[in-house]
Amino acid sequence: MGDINHFEYGWITPALSYALSVLGSVLGLVCAGRIRTARTSRQRAWWGLLSAWALGGTAIWAMHFMAMLGFAVENTRIRYDVPLTVASTVIAVVAVGIGLAIVGTGRLNAVRLIAGGVFTGSGVAAMHYTGMAAMRLNGTLGYDTLRVALSVAIAVVAATVALWLAMTVRKGVAVFASALVMGIAVNGMHFTGMSALSVHRHEGANRDVTGAGVSTLLVPIMLAVIFGVVGLLYALLAAPTDDDRAASEYLAGRRVAEPVAPTPAPDPVGLRARSTLGQPGNPFPSRRDTPPR
């Protein structure tokens, strides 16, 4: 059995992973709120995609990878299979996106919420264990069945609560408080799943471990997170809010209600002021009206 250390760098990695999960949850909840106020199916799909990326890509997957930076096994290097690592990202985003589509289509009820929570939670668990399967080291991974089942149950419950919050929470303080709770749930699922892991080292085998190192993956992943967060913030700031729409409708109503006075025709040489011909209703002068000299 290999000695496992989940906090090789102390509490810096779990603290950063929690911060990422809270940040992604805040952005995801705000984007999900825009789904409810969207007026077209295209707008709803756009905000659903952004919310899925924020929740699945940042709050869940980036948090998972950040926490894995502190994972170490004694006397063996750890590498990652890049295609499986990318696949775990896709699984997280797609699972959250489908869950949002389930609860965001039509009236929210218990059946939709439970169905979306089960699907999304199962997808989150699949993301976690796919990411673990991408890990390469000089040993064999084993899992405790009871703790794996517990981690899946936590993922389903956390996903259900997250979807309910995404469809109901609106106020800024409530969004932040909900993101704090979601961060605890996501990290709880991750470390519960990690506690189920055991490593059986290959004694006497000095084979090379293939795959990408953490340092190789860290830069592109962090750049993707940074650009993703900046893009989400730009999309949120550029999109009109409910107050903006109300103001536009009010101004449009004022324009319709207030009649516009006709603009007089231009009179560049002042003929209208010197001649009665320019005044409406005046008769055209004739020679008969001219007094004799």
Side-chain angles (χ1 to χ4, degrees), residues 118 121-122 125-126 129 146-158 189 192-193:
V118 170
S122 301
Y129 291 105
L146 180 60
R147 293 189 181 185
V148 169
L150 180 59
S151 69
V152 175
I154 293 174
V156 171
V157 173
M189 177 270 161
T192 300

Side-chain angles (χ1 to χ4, degrees), residues 8-293:
E8 184 179 18
Y9 302 105
W11 288 97
I12 183 65
T13 49
L16 289 176
S17 66
Y18 180 73
L20 279 174
S21 62
V22 171
L23 175 61
S25 298
V26 168
L27 293 173
L29 290 175
V30 174
C31 290
R34 299 298 179 90
I35 298 175
R36 300 191 298 268
T37 59
R39 299 185 176 184
T40 64
S41 58
R42 184 175 180 179
Q43 291 177 350
R44 286 191 290 271
W46 169 248
W47 289 115
L49 178 62
L50 294 181
S51 181
W53 173 253
L55 291 172
T58 303
I60 297 174
W61 187 87
M63 168 269 146
H64 165 85
F65 187 83
M66 183 58 65
M68 289 303 298
L69 292 179
F71 178 78
V73 180
E74 186 182 13
N75 296 327
T76 181
R77 295 184 301 174
I78 298 177
R79 297 289 185 269
Y80 292 90
D81 181 88
V82 175
L84 276 179
T85 302
V86 174
S88 67
T89 311
V90 175
I91 291 173
V93 175
V94 170
V96 174
I98 294 178
L100 288 171
I102 292 174
V103 300
T105 304
R107 186 179 181 85
L108 180 64
N109 53 44
V111 175
R112 288 181 179 273
L113 184 61
I114 293 174
V118 170
F119 187 92
T120 304
S122 301
V124 171
M127 177 280 303
H128 175 81
Y129 291 105
T130 301
M132 296 303 297
M135 192 165 53
R136 300 287 182 261
L137 49 79
N138 191 16
T140 303
L141 304 182
Y143 293 95
D144 180 77
T145 305
L146 180 60
R147 293 189 181 185
V148 169
L150 180 59
S151 69
V152 175
I154 293 174
V156 171
V157 173
T160 304
V161 173
L163 292 175
W164 179 77
L165 292 172
M167 292 294 106
T168 56
V169 173
R170 286 179 176 269
K171 302 298 182 181
V173 176
V175 167
F176 185 71
S178 301
L180 295 177
V181 175
M182 289 173 62
I184 294 173
V186 171
N187 282 265
M189 177 270 161
H190 172 84
F191 287 107
T192 300
M194 293 302 296
S195 69
L197 177 67
S198 60
V199 178
H200 301 268
R201 290 186 61 247
H202 297 154
E203 297 294 341
N206 295 320
R207 62 179 184 177
D208 293 332
V209 180
T210 60
V214 173
S215 59
T216 304
L217 294 175
L218 182 60
V219 173
I221 289 174
M222 292 309 299
L223 287 176
V225 170
I226 291 172
F227 283 112
V229 170
V230 172
L232 289 169
L233 290 174
Y234 177 79
L236 289 170
L237 293 175
T241 63
D242 294 340
D243 294 337
D244 296 333
R245 295 191 186 95
S248 299
E249 293 175 356
Y250 173 77
L251 293 176
R254 289 290 300 272
R255 294 192 191 98
V256 174
E258 296 178 357
V260 180
T263 303
D267 187 19
V269 295
L271 292 178
R272 186 180 297 115
R274 293 181 293 177
S275 174
T276 58
L277 294 176
Q279 304 299 324
N282 287 340
F284 190 83
S286 65
R287 294 182 178 272
R288 299 175 181 177
D289 299 329
T290 303
R293 297 180 179 179

